[in-house]
Amino acid sequence: MPHEVELQPGERVDDLLTYEMKIIQSAEVFSFSLDAVLLARFAGVPQRGRVLDLCTGNGVVPLLLATRTKADIDGVEIQPRLADMARRSVALNGLGPRIRIIEADLKQYAGTGNGIYDAITVNPPYMPVGTGEHKENAHVALARHEIGCTLEDVAAAAMRLVRTGGRVSMVHRPSRLAEIAEMLRRYRLEPKRIRFVHPRAGAEANMVLIEALRDGKPELRVQPPLIVYGEDKQYTKELLDVFYGRRGELGGSE
């Protein structure tokens, strides 16, 4: 059951819809969305070992990963306010012994050494600088735009921190897929598994989930598309299974 924590002005506690988990959110900062939930269910993670979530925001991905693995999970977030919210969300769910939230810049973060993580997840900023960030508050702009880190910064950090043979999983925009694949390979992260997410059947994909293997051999599997809404304009069964934790893993890892 959730533990008691202190909320700051403007904060609320939302239901994560799975395992009675809760999360602290605020309208003043970037809240989690479907992409983070799908990433947490798609990523290949070991049952034991060490897992890292970069750009962790308010900690939703580590919280959801904790339902799938017994590994120790670190979350790195550059924004002090979001890192504080994430720590309190971890405490709210009684997961302090397993999840550690670190306020740090991923470009400098080294953990306790390089190559120490068995798996890394990341939901990075999707948009290059100069595409509207001036219209948003600083918290939202940093989450959406490559102000604090670029795609290359993310790939470089992941290569530095994951062990050989370890997995790096990312959610991003399909429009940048060619750039993503090229950047991952530049940093010795071989794309191995891709799944496109479509808002409805017949519509273009608006998200892509991609998993890479550090120093892996070239061989890419494209999994069946994930459809969000059915013809009845309601979530599909697969989506509901993901939300409610009935389906712990979204597509099998190798």
Side-chain angles (χ1 to χ4, degrees):
M1 295 295 292
H3 294 56
E4 291 293 328
V5 298
E6 183 178 352
L7 295 181
Q8 301 300 322
E11 292 181 347
R12 66 184 188 272
V13 174
D14 289 341
D15 194 338
L16 276 178
L17 305 179
T18 182
Y19 293 87
E20 299 185 351
M21 299 183 81
K22 308 288 184 182
I23 189 166
I24 298 169
Q25 302 212 96
S26 169
E28 298 173 1
V29 300
F30 194 77
S31 297
F32 82 90
S33 53
L34 177 61
D35 49 4
V37 178
L38 295 181
L39 174 64
R41 299 306 187 199
F42 171 83
V45 290
Q47 282 305 299
R48 304 283 178 181
R50 299 189 66 179
V51 175
L52 172 67
D53 182 50
L54 297 172
C55 306
T56 204
N58 63 355
V60 62
V61 172
L63 290 174
L64 291 174
L65 286 176
T67 69
R68 295 184 52 209
T69 176
K70 299 298 184 185
D72 293 327
I73 303 169
D74 291 341
V76 169
E77 172 54 44
I78 194 172
Q79 297 194 58
R81 182 171 179 184
L82 281 170
D84 175 63
M85 290 172 68
R87 287 191 192 99
R88 286 183 286 123
S89 286
V90 169
L92 179 67
N93 291 283
L95 290 168
R98 292 186 50 208
I99 300 176
R100 182 178 61 149
I101 303 297
I102 301 134
E103 182 187 322
D105 185 334
L106 63 79
K107 296 189 292 293
Q108 278 83 49
Y109 176 69
T112 55
N114 293 333
I116 61 171
Y117 292 99
D118 300 290
I120 293 176
T121 55
V122 59
N123 182 1
Y126 290 161
M127 293 177 271
V129 171
T131 52
E133 68 275 3
H134 60 283
K135 300 177 182 177
E136 300 161 331
N137 73 44
H139 297 294
V140 175
L142 272 168
R144 288 180 171 168
H145 303 268
E146 293 182 333
I147 299 169
C149 67
T150 64
L151 183 58
E152 182 164 13
D153 293 332
V154 168
M159 182 199 74
R160 184 177 74 249
L161 293 163
V162 76
R163 65 170 176 80
T164 297
R167 299 177 188 278
V168 176
S169 300
M170 179 187 300
V171 61
H172 216 294
R173 293 278 178 87
S175 60
R176 299 190 68 184
L177 180 57
E179 181 185 0
I180 293 165
E182 189 277 330
M183 197 63 68
L184 290 173
R185 297 187 85 178
R186 181 185 301 179
Y187 286 91
R188 297 165 54 188
L189 302 169
E190 185 63 34
K192 301 291 286 184
R193 188 164 61 99
I194 284 181
R195 190 166 191 187
F196 291 99
V197 181
H198 301 254
R200 57 191 177 278
E204 286 189 11
N206 60 356
M207 279 184 270
V208 63
L209 297 154
I210 182 167
E211 183 178 84
L213 203 65
R214 167 73 190 267
D215 297 321
K217 296 180 180 179
E219 183 182 4
L220 178 64
R221 295 164 48 210
V222 179
Q223 296 182 318
L226 174 62
I227 309 300
V228 177
Y229 294 103
E231 292 182 2
D232 58 359
K233 298 183 181 179
Q234 302 297 312
Y235 282 137
T236 59
K237 182 181 183 302
E238 185 171 14
L239 242 290
L240 288 174
D241 286 348
V242 167
F243 268 129
Y244 289 101
R246 294 190 294 261
R247 181 168 183 153
E249 189 171 343
L250 186 62
S253 298
E254 294 181 351

